[in-house]
Amino acid sequence: MIIYIKKNLFLFWKVGQTVFKKQNCCENAASKYSNYLKYYFGMSNTFSIGNVNYMKKFYCCFPNYINEFNKLSFEHYKLLVDISDIGERYFYFRIAVFCRSSVQELNDVIKDKIYYYI
């Protein structure tokens, strides 16, 4: 499933962008898009309301999509978007890309808070 997610990271970014832009004019935009995408793609776990909210956070945290994003999986981004500091988030993003970290390795690095030691 992670291979599938890596290939469709741009789709997830676009979903986040759409939900973000529609949230002001449409009540419960994430829920509505979640239901629509589950129906259209048939993947109830991938497009759960929680994941759609992470897709919106992904767009908000990384508003300009670059091809380098494809080097990580959506599970990596679920860890990164929970970091509130922009510099810290970018630091861990760079570490994950440069070291080709697994999700668990990235999680361990974030928990160790090495950003504050540098």
Side-chain angles (χ1 to χ4, degrees):
M1 182 147 167
I2 291 185
I3 293 171
Y4 180 80
I5 288 173
K6 279 186 180 181
K7 290 182 181 178
N8 289 305
L9 200 57
F10 183 70
L11 170 67
F12 294 169
W13 184 84
K14 286 299 280 183
V15 168
Q17 180 186 42
T18 304
V19 171
F20 178 77
K21 289 182 177 181
K22 297 291 183 180
Q23 71 185 0
N24 292 332
C25 63
C26 179
E27 191 173 324
N28 299 324
S31 176
K32 289 178 181 180
Y33 275 96
S34 172
N35 290 333
Y36 171 75
L37 293 167
K38 282 189 241 179
Y39 174 77
Y40 186 78
F41 288 104
M43 297 177 292
S44 60
N45 291 337
T46 303
F47 293 111
S48 66
I49 295 172
N51 276 348
V52 170
N53 282 324
Y54 270 112
M55 292 172 201
K56 184 176 88 172
K57 283 183 179 180
F58 175 47
Y59 170 75
C60 291
C61 292
F62 301 97
N64 297 319
Y65 188 87
I66 56 175
N67 287 333
E68 195 170 21
F69 289 163
N70 292 327
K71 294 180 179 179
L72 301 177
S73 72
F74 188 62
E75 299 301 319
H76 286 91
Y77 291 106
K78 287 172 83 172
L79 294 173
L80 291 171
V81 299
D82 287 335
I83 300 171
S84 59
D85 183 78
I86 295 169
E88 184 179 356
R89 184 184 320 119
Y90 185 73
F91 174 79
Y92 290 123
F93 169 76
R94 283 281 158 218
I95 285 179
V97 170
F98 182 75
C99 298
R100 298 181 183 170
S101 303
S102 69
V103 175
Q104 185 59 47
E105 290 169 340
L106 178 60
N107 191 29
D108 292 342
V109 168
I110 292 171
K111 283 183 180 179
D112 290 342
K113 298 184 185 277
I114 64 167
Y115 175 76
Y116 297 103
Y117 296 116
I118 295 177

